[in-house]
Amino acid sequence: MSNFILGHLSLFELVLVCSILGYSQYIVLRAGVFSMATAGFASIGAYTAALLSVRIDSPLWVGLLAAATIGALAGAILAWPLARLRGVFQAIATLAFVQIVISIGLYWESMTGGALGLNGIPKLVHFGHLLLVMSMVLYVLITLSRTGIGRAFDIIRQDETVAVSLGISVVKYQRLAFVLSGVLGGLGGGLMAYRNYSLVPEDFGFPLLISALSFVVLGGRIAVFGPLVGALILTLLPELARPLADYRLAVNGVLMLLAIIYWPYGVVDTLSLHWRQRRAVRTQVEARS
Amino acid sequence: MLAQQLLNGLVTGSTYALFALGFTLVFGVLHVLNLAHGAIFMAGAFAGLYAVTAAELPLYLAFLIAMLSGGLVSVAVDWLALRPLRQRGSSEFAAIISSLGIAQVLMSAGQAISQTQIMRFPFGTFPVVIYEFWGVRISLLQAAILGLSLLLAFTLLLFLFRTDFGRRVRAVAISERTSSLLGIRPNIVYFQTFFISGALAGAAGVIIGLAFNSVHFLMGEPFLLKAFVVIVLGGLGSIGGALIGGVMLGLIQTIAVSYLSSSLSDAIIYSLLFCILLIRPTGLFGKLHIETRVVRS
């Protein structure tokens, strides 16, 4: 097993970076927000981190911290108008945000390098850093989902009217989810910048947005480990079954389709639901005997 | 000079409107954002192109084939991706995901068929004739684009508001349950709606493929993104709104490109979309009543 991991180290690095972006998508979906802004946050974070290390040689942690902070700021600003919108309109508005970020990246050549992008970014991130960041993210998310905040997110997602009647401020919690999504998106973008050597604005367009969504849909929207499992499956599957690698796009699409139709809660949530039901049945049987 | 720019904007705008017609129709009837519309449009353009290049058919036949295959692909998208969700009564989020999924499958098929190449209609498929009125130049193709998008939009409006069929569609759009009590079969109406939407996408595919002289597997994506702006401008689900919204978008874009900068024009357009969503989420002309604030259905 450890040999397999060492042999495919860059692949596992990719899985970790992708799943951090997946978590940025996960946190908003869990709170019932239809955001697709992850790609935009990632772009902002990636350019912040890359510029800091290229222009002023800042160390890794400063760059990542700055990326996360800028992402949070973008999330907070965007959350204010989005609180007025619901459903499809939120999705359209966040898609517009992603497009605005891309076109500013193309236009502001003195800063972002335009269509040619930023090149020669030092590779500062290694597998150990990624594991550390990932475990921090998981720790925060697990803690969050065990406190009132996680419960509030779950209620808002299931029924807003019930949430309001329980005295939960939908706007406040959705804003929080949005800021967290910005933090994680910025962080994921920063990690991408420090791993990929170069950045172009189009890296953060539709394909990135779709893959972040598909990790969450396939993995699960409720359990914290969902997006990680989703990213693991979707990144490793084309590598394990080589002939599939040419049709990565189609495999991704088919899995998304099957997941949303047959396993609407995703792999992890469906399995944990199944397990919980079995345990409930078993305790019932034991109680009867 | 300004008149020429405005004319170009009008033509660009009517291609946007043409694309958005089918998209807004599906939203109006099913309240579903069909993100596979771009891929259906690509499939129609491919069918039209191969009818001209491989089967060497005349353009009008290729056009009909493109409409037919666009319609069929669209019906298949509905059957595979959206119908199962409808039967289960899933949320609008699920429909967005599944249409994105099938769009990826279609685009991957398009990539495999075209071998990732940009294809063109052979020279002379559409006669190159240029007219000049009062110093404004308009090619026959541009005139055809303008005329055709107006024609298709008005046919669709007539269909929806002056025929029995249209009355059924509108009834289902208002309430599926009530209309099935009144003896309308919603599944047939959905089938017809998707077919028409796909046929419009196929027509748009050939016209846009001719106008920009390029057909490739990613051609749907920029138009899908523009279509969001168009339908938000005109009101989600409104046919007339899509026409006006498309033309407005085309004019704004051409003016932004010629007086500011081409890369900034996208930023301007999407910021406009954002502002409209905040000020008037039902669109500038929308009569559609969607609850945007209180409850998510």
Side-chain angles (χ1 to χ4, degrees):
Chain A
M1 187 63 198
S2 72
N3 251 344
F4 180 76
I5 291 183
L6 281 178
H8 296 79
L9 204 57
S10 76
L11 197 65
F12 281 92
E13 282 182 19
L14 186 67
V15 170
L16 289 177
V17 173
C18 285
S19 51
I20 287 176
L21 292 176
Y23 278 112
S24 162
Q25 183 72 60
Y26 156 84
I27 196 84
V28 270
L29 288 181
R30 179 156 181 190
V33 187
F34 261 25
S35 162
M36 303 204 175
T38 296
F41 294 141
S43 172
I44 293 174
Y47 274 101
T48 310
L51 284 172
L52 277 177
S53 81
V54 169
R55 296 269 165 92
I56 58 171
D57 253 344
S58 66
L60 169 68
W61 298 110
V62 175
L64 287 184
L65 205 64
T69 318
I70 295 276
L73 205 65
I77 295 171
L78 202 59
W80 169 70
L82 277 186
R84 286 169 52 96
L85 301 172
R86 287 288 176 273
V88 188
F89 292 91
Q90 271 177 340
I92 298 178
T94 45
L95 267 176
F97 165 71
V98 173
Q99 290 303 309
I100 293 172
V101 171
I102 291 177
S103 60
I104 288 177
L106 287 172
Y107 177 72
W108 199 3
E109 278 178 17
S110 59
M111 205 64 174
T112 64
L116 295 176
L118 280 177
N119 296 304
I121 305 163
K123 182 169 168 33
L124 298 173
V125 163
H126 298 289
F127 191 63
H129 299 130
L130 284 169
L131 268 185
L132 187 63
V133 172
M134 188 48 149
S135 40
M136 273 158 49
V137 166
L138 279 177
Y139 174 73
V140 170
L141 286 175
I142 290 173
T143 318
L144 209 68
S145 66
R146 287 194 178 154
T147 57
I149 297 175
R151 307 251 189 272
F153 282 174
D154 286 341
I155 300 176
I156 293 171
R157 186 190 63 247
Q158 284 166 13
D159 198 327
E160 259 177 46
T161 326
V162 174
V164 172
S165 74
L166 291 172
I168 293 168
S169 163
V170 174
V171 171
K172 191 181 115 191
Y173 279 103
Q174 289 197 335
R175 195 173 294 159
L176 178 68
F178 227 82
V179 173
L180 283 173
S181 171
V183 170
L184 291 171
L187 195 63
L191 291 171
M192 257 176 95
Y194 288 150
R195 209 188 78 87
N196 288 5
Y197 302 102
S198 70
L199 290 178
V200 276
E202 276 100 350
D203 282 348
F204 302 94
F206 233 59
L208 184 74
L209 187 156
I210 294 175
S211 60
L213 262 177
S214 57
F215 298 150
V216 184
V217 169
L218 190 67
R221 267 169 286 164
I222 305 162
V224 173
F225 287 99
L228 186 61
V229 172
L232 210 60
I233 295 173
L234 280 176
T235 321
L236 291 189
L237 192 65
E239 300 298 325
L240 294 179
R242 263 292 162 195
L244 288 180
D246 291 338
Y247 299 98
R248 190 184 284 266
L249 200 66
V251 170
N252 207 340
V254 168
L255 282 178
M256 251 168 111
L257 201 61
L258 291 178
I260 200 76
I261 292 175
Y262 296 106
W263 282 34
Y265 297 107
V267 174
V268 175
D269 288 333
T270 314
L271 286 180
S272 74
L273 201 71
H274 178 72
W275 192 59
R276 219 177 294 161
Q277 272 171 354
R278 269 184 54 178
R279 205 167 51 177
V281 169
R282 205 181 306 148
T283 40
Q284 265 180 3
V285 171
E286 277 169 13
R288 235 178 266 151
S289 59
Chain B
M1 190 57 203
L2 182 68
Q4 182 70 52
Q5 295 290 0
L6 288 180
L7 180 77
N8 292 345
L10 201 63
V11 173
T12 319
S14 51
T15 60
Y16 293 152
L18 203 58
F19 180 87
L21 278 179
F23 191 48
T24 203
L25 177 71
V26 167
F27 188 87
V29 178
L30 286 96
H31 311 289
V32 153
L33 218 50
N34 177 17
L35 295 187
H37 198 70
I40 297 167
F41 158 83
M42 181 269 300
F46 269 47
L49 183 92
Y50 282 118
V52 170
T53 55
E56 293 180 354
L57 293 171
L59 188 62
Y60 70 95
L61 268 181
F63 194 70
L64 289 180
I65 287 174
M67 283 182 85
L68 186 70
S69 36
L72 291 178
V73 171
S74 173
V75 168
V77 164
D78 179 43
W79 260 82
L80 292 174
L82 299 172
R83 215 173 118 98
L85 297 176
R86 220 164 32 236
Q87 284 165 344
R88 218 181 46 213
S90 299
S91 62
E92 45 193 4
F93 171 73
I96 289 183
I97 298 293
S98 68
S99 61
L100 261 180
I102 200 147
Q104 282 185 300
V105 176
L106 283 174
M107 275 174 8
S108 181
Q111 185 178 19
I113 291 171
S114 68
Q115 291 161 343
T116 327
Q117 278 173 346
I118 296 179
M119 301 180 290
R120 293 172 202 295
F121 281 94
F123 186 76
T125 309
F126 201 87
V128 184
V129 185
I130 292 176
Y131 303 107
E132 202 165 335
F133 304 101
W134 305 294
V136 177
R137 290 153 63 89
I138 181 167
S139 70
L140 186 62
L141 183 62
Q142 283 181 315
I145 290 170
L146 268 178
L148 214 63
S149 24
L150 275 179
L151 182 77
L152 284 174
F154 278 109
T155 318
L156 187 60
L157 278 176
L158 270 181
F159 229 47
L160 283 177
F161 290 96
R162 288 286 177 272
T163 62
D164 237 26
F165 159 73
R167 201 165 295 126
R168 282 198 289 273
V169 172
R170 282 181 292 140
V172 172
I174 292 166
S175 164
E176 190 190 312
R177 269 178 68 96
T178 317
S179 52
S180 62
L181 285 176
L182 294 171
I184 299 167
R185 286 171 67 183
N187 274 335
I188 292 187
V189 170
Y190 291 147
F191 175 84
Q192 290 163 330
T193 310
F194 269 96
F195 187 82
I196 293 173
S197 153
L200 287 169
V206 173
I207 293 174
I208 290 169
L210 275 171
F212 294 91
N213 203 12
S214 86
V215 173
H216 57 101
F217 74 102
L218 284 175
M219 68 189 284
E221 226 168 69
F223 279 93
L224 188 66
L225 287 165
K226 294 271 157 55
F228 285 123
V229 188
V230 172
I231 62 173
V232 167
L233 265 172
L236 267 84
S238 149
I239 305 290
L243 197 62
I244 300 170
V247 169
M248 272 176 69
L249 178 65
L251 291 177
I252 293 169
Q253 194 187 13
T254 338
I255 289 169
V257 167
S258 49
Y259 292 103
L260 293 163
S261 128
S262 65
S263 50
L264 205 57
S265 79
D266 268 4
I268 292 171
I269 288 168
Y270 294 108
S271 313
L272 179 77
L273 168 63
F274 216 94
C275 294
I276 290 166
L277 274 176
L278 291 183
I279 302 162
R280 268 190 75 96
T282 49
L284 297 179
F285 317 98
K287 283 182 208 148
L288 212 69
H289 297 290
I290 296 177
E291 297 195 337
T292 49
R293 243 197 102 74
V294 192
V295 185
R296 195 187 355 254
S297 54

